[in-house]
Amino acid sequence: MSGSTGVELRHLRAFVAVAEERSFTRAAARLALTQPALSRTVASLERLVGLELVLRNTRTVRLTPAGTRLLPYAHRALAVVEEAVGAAADRPAVLRVGFTWGSTAEYTGPIVRAFEQDHPGVSVEIRRYDDTVAGLADGRTHVGFLPGPPDDPRLGTLVLAEEPRVVALPADHPLAVRDAVRLHELQTETIVINVVSGTTSLELWEAPDRPAATMRVRNVDEWMEAIAAGRGVGTTPASTGRLYTHPSIRYVRIEDAPDVPITLAWMRTAQHPLVADFVAVAGRTRPRRQPE
């Protein structure tokens, strides 16, 4: 298979293996190739693309910026071809549904169940990925449930619900006994921000009330433990408080914060054939009013 660039599947498989293994030796063993053959294939891809994709020396292998940009597209191209071959061979269809963390769980289950009732011959795999688009960008998933609107023009979206925003506080925090707080009351706090798949940035606050201190974490588990340990506070959709309980954390409503849209997203191009059906099911299954 090749396009106008001359890039073939063997080029992409070699590049992906090197990118994932971070080693030509391990990547060659994975693909059952000799290391010189693998190196020639990656070098051929670089010539076809006209850019250096992999930096290698005697100790390390890492992607260049161009290689980093190419990697999710290479994943997607290989996944689409694999799915196409499976369809031609009449293998059972698989739809991979991604989510970033549990704030979307109240919406995922009912929609997946309704889809499975309509499509009993389809295998639905539900997977968590700690990235902003739940595995959509590189083809690991076909549709994704996301807290907040994705900042990616390649994605189609459907808003499933609007979640009120709450602040997660250490249980002994003075504000933890309140029914509600306002954003300006948090300006002296350290804000714990999940930089990979969270819904909070300092742009939530107007400039005069913007907190000065932040703590960066990379997943919801680190986020919760940082708050429970008293290192800061965090803001999140209200469903987080219903799904993630912790004896050392209290959730309090923020009365002047904008709601968080819970979004179903999918790639606009190279769609799985069942994405449109899944979106249609989601449209008729989503809640008709905001959860309390």
Side-chain angles (χ1 to χ4, degrees):
M1 175 183 175
S2 64
S4 59
T5 63
V7 174
E8 301 176 6
L9 289 180
R10 64 186 180 89
H11 294 124
L12 297 182
R13 290 193 182 99
F15 170 68
V16 167
V18 170
E20 292 181 344
E21 298 292 344
R22 290 295 196 268
S23 162
F24 276 81
T25 301
R26 292 193 297 271
R30 167 173 152 179
L31 297 175
L33 296 173
T34 65
Q35 190 170 331
L38 177 63
S39 296
R40 288 193 297 271
T41 302
V42 172
S44 174
L45 175 62
E46 291 176 321
R47 287 193 299 273
L48 290 167
V49 174
L51 294 166
E52 188 176 31
L53 302 173
V54 180
L55 296 174
R56 55 276 233 192
N57 58 37
T58 56
R59 291 179 295 178
T60 62
V61 173
R62 59 188 177 87
L63 298 184
T64 66
T68 300
R69 292 191 297 270
L70 175 63
L71 182 59
Y73 291 95
H75 276 295
R76 285 181 58 210
L78 293 172
V80 168
V81 170
E82 182 179 349
E83 290 162 6
V85 171
D90 201 25
R91 293 198 291 264
V94 176
L95 186 73
R96 295 189 296 274
V97 176
F99 67 99
T100 58
W101 48 294
S103 64
T104 62
E106 293 179 348
Y107 309 93
T108 307
I111 292 172
V112 168
R113 286 195 297 273
F115 177 82
E116 289 178 327
Q117 289 173 359
D118 286 357
H119 299 79
V122 177
S123 174
V124 179
E125 299 178 356
I126 304 175
R127 303 177 180 181
R128 169 180 164 177
Y129 292 104
D130 285 321
D131 67 53
T132 55
V133 294
L136 289 170
D138 59 8
R140 289 176 294 173
T141 57
H142 302 118
V143 292
F145 289 83
L146 313 177
D151 184 19
D152 190 330
R154 298 174 299 167
L155 298 181
T157 59
L158 172 69
V159 175
L160 303 173
E162 299 279 348
E163 286 271 350
R165 198 181 295 261
V166 299
V167 58
L169 300 158
D172 58 357
H173 193 285
L175 295 176
V177 298
R178 298 263 296 274
D179 293 327
V181 301
R182 297 184 69 83
L183 282 169
H184 75 85
E185 296 179 274
L186 305 175
Q187 68 181 120
T188 61
E189 304 288 344
T190 296
I191 307 300
V192 183
I193 296 177
N194 178 350
V195 298
V196 175
S197 58
T199 60
T200 299
S201 75
L202 292 183
E203 300 301 316
L204 181 63
W205 285 262
E206 296 292 337
D209 298 328
R210 195 162 291 164
T214 61
M215 178 179 179
R216 296 162 61 90
V217 298
R218 299 190 62 80
N219 57 58
V220 67
D221 301 304
E222 293 178 1
W223 182 84
M224 291 192 68
E225 290 307 317
I227 294 167
R231 296 179 179 176
V233 307
T235 76
T236 188
S239 54
T240 303
R242 297 190 291 270
L243 295 165
Y244 289 92
T245 59
H246 193 293
S248 298
I249 294 177
R250 299 290 181 270
Y251 296 93
V252 177
R253 180 172 59 87
I254 306 174
E255 60 185 18
D256 60 340
D259 290 347
V260 181
I262 303 299
T263 306
L264 181 69
W266 60 93
M267 298 299 295
R268 296 181 187 274
T269 59
Q271 285 183 15
H272 188 286
L274 289 171
V275 164
D277 289 355
F278 192 90
V279 173
V281 169
R284 70 171 188 261
T285 308
R286 60 183 167 176
R288 296 306 174 192
R289 62 182 180 87
Q290 177 177 299
E292 298 178 358

